[in-house]
Amino acid sequence: MKSARSKGKRARSGLVIAMDGPAGVGKSTIGTMVAKELGFRFINTGEMYRALTWKALEEGIDPTDGDALTRLAKRLTWEFRTVGEGVVIRTHIDGKGVTTQIREERVSKNSSIVAGAGGVRRLLRDMQRKLGEDGSIVMEGRDITTNVFPDADFKVYLDASIEERAKRRTKQLRQQGKPADYDKILDAIIQRDRGDLQRKINPLTQAKDAIVIDSTKMTMVETAEEILKLIRSKRKAGIEGATR
Ligand code: DC
């Protein structure tokens, strides 16, 4: 049998729960619920791509210039700190939190272009692996189950129809008192899906061994409960298998 080490991976003390799925499907909300329940940390890796995109735009770097983006990513000081109850890990660059800035529309529009740069992807992948090396973490993104942690203990591919995702995003923005036009949001989601699915390097795909959950007709709480149920039954089966 191949050991974790033989594939260049370290043995972990806690579980890695990897989640992928398209934009606006609720991975962060659901992933945070799952992490809280398990006493794990949670990270949304999209924030890392967004943080770099924001910094590049601030510095006037062309988001299609992969080499310049990679140089920028190497020059920045990246820190990952848990906030609030110690569950959610937030990205800080050069000593600054960028939670608000990374939600700007120009960042959303350009982040899938930035995420197409191979040098950037390799750098962020290495940081993500480091963050998860000890396990006890829920990590979500587009390539976590396929590229960052192909050996994750539990893999979920979370899906929902495009219309449902646009509906959820519209509702969320309106609840925050922000203007939200359903058609514009739908269009933006279509564009982002296209970028993420058609990217040459590490496009969004369903890992063969991922559990696919279509949450179109489910609430966030129901989806999180479903994932927790599956994790617990897998854990139980693992423990029973090991003691048999
Ligand atoms: O999850 P999000 O929409 O905030 O992510 C922002 C962008 O980063 C999005 O276009 C997809 C990309 N991304 C990626 O390519 N790989 C990841 N692991 C996470 C996000």
Side-chain angles (χ1 to χ4, degrees):
M1 199 176 72
K2 252 185 204 163
S3 73
R5 273 199 180 278
S6 69
K7 290 178 85 185
K9 290 162 196 146
R10 289 211 299 150
R12 293 185 292 260
S13 51
L15 300 185
V16 169
I17 315 286
M19 286 173 64
D20 285 322
V25 74
K27 298 185 296 291
S28 273
T29 309
I30 292 161
T32 305
M33 287 180 193
V34 170
K36 256 190 201 161
E37 194 59 34
L38 296 172
F40 285 11
R41 292 163 302 145
F42 168 80
I43 182 153
N44 164 349
T45 59
E47 289 194 1
M48 296 165 72
Y49 289 95
R50 284 173 176 268
L52 183 64
T53 305
W54 173 74
K55 193 71 182 174
L57 294 173
E58 285 292 293
E59 295 205 358
I61 294 171
D62 177 356
T64 63
D65 186 344
D67 291 340
L69 291 167
T70 308
R71 280 197 300 275
L72 172 66
K74 284 185 180 159
R75 170 157 63 77
L76 295 174
T77 305
W78 295 81
E79 282 169 278
F80 304 97
R81 305 184 199 148
T82 52
V83 292
E85 297 165 88
V87 175
V88 179
I89 300 170
R90 292 255 181 254
T91 300
H92 293 67
I93 46 175
D94 291 344
K96 255 185 76 175
V98 286
T99 311
T100 317
Q101 296 89 323
I102 61 173
R103 297 293 149 197
E104 290 170 15
E105 202 179 330
R106 59 182 186 139
V107 174
S108 300
K109 268 195 189 145
N110 285 291
S111 59
S112 61
I113 302 169
V114 168
V120 167
R121 296 205 70 85
R122 282 189 290 279
L123 209 78
L124 298 199
R125 177 203 61 197
D126 291 347
M127 287 193 258
Q128 289 154 11
R129 284 188 179 159
K130 190 136 186 45
L131 274 165
E133 67 186 358
D134 294 326
S136 301
I137 195 162
V138 177
M139 191 175 287
E140 68 98 330
R142 303 294 194 286
D143 64 340
I144 311 303
T145 59
T146 52
N147 178 47
V148 180
F149 282 107
D151 65 337
D153 301 281
F154 192 82
K155 299 186 186 182
V156 186
Y157 185 94
L158 202 57
D159 212 349
S161 73
I162 290 190
E163 293 77 13
E164 178 60 24
R165 287 186 275 136
K167 227 161 67 186
R168 286 179 193 170
R169 182 80 188 127
T170 310
K171 192 174 159 198
Q172 187 190 37
L173 286 171
R174 288 190 183 147
Q175 277 170 349
Q176 292 168 359
K178 293 178 185 159
D181 179 289
Y182 173 84
D183 289 329
K184 274 196 190 148
I185 290 171
L186 181 68
D187 198 48
I189 289 186
I190 292 170
Q191 299 296 332
R192 287 183 57 207
D193 275 5
R194 193 171 296 149
D196 291 337
L197 293 162
Q198 294 179 358
R199 183 170 45 235
K200 285 203 183 78
I201 316 162
N202 314 134
L204 172 65
T205 46
Q206 291 180 8
K208 281 194 193 76
D209 52 350
I211 289 173
V212 181
I213 299 181
D214 183 345
S215 70
T216 305
K217 294 195 169 73
M218 294 163 82
T219 65
M220 301 275 184
V221 172
E222 281 166 354
T223 311
E225 277 170 359
E226 176 68 16
I227 293 171
L228 282 162
K229 197 173 84 189
L230 292 164
I231 292 172
R232 286 183 181 126
S233 71
K234 191 175 174 191
R235 256 179 164 176
K236 197 164 163 242
I239 292 163
E240 281 169 3
T243 52
R244 213 167 276 149

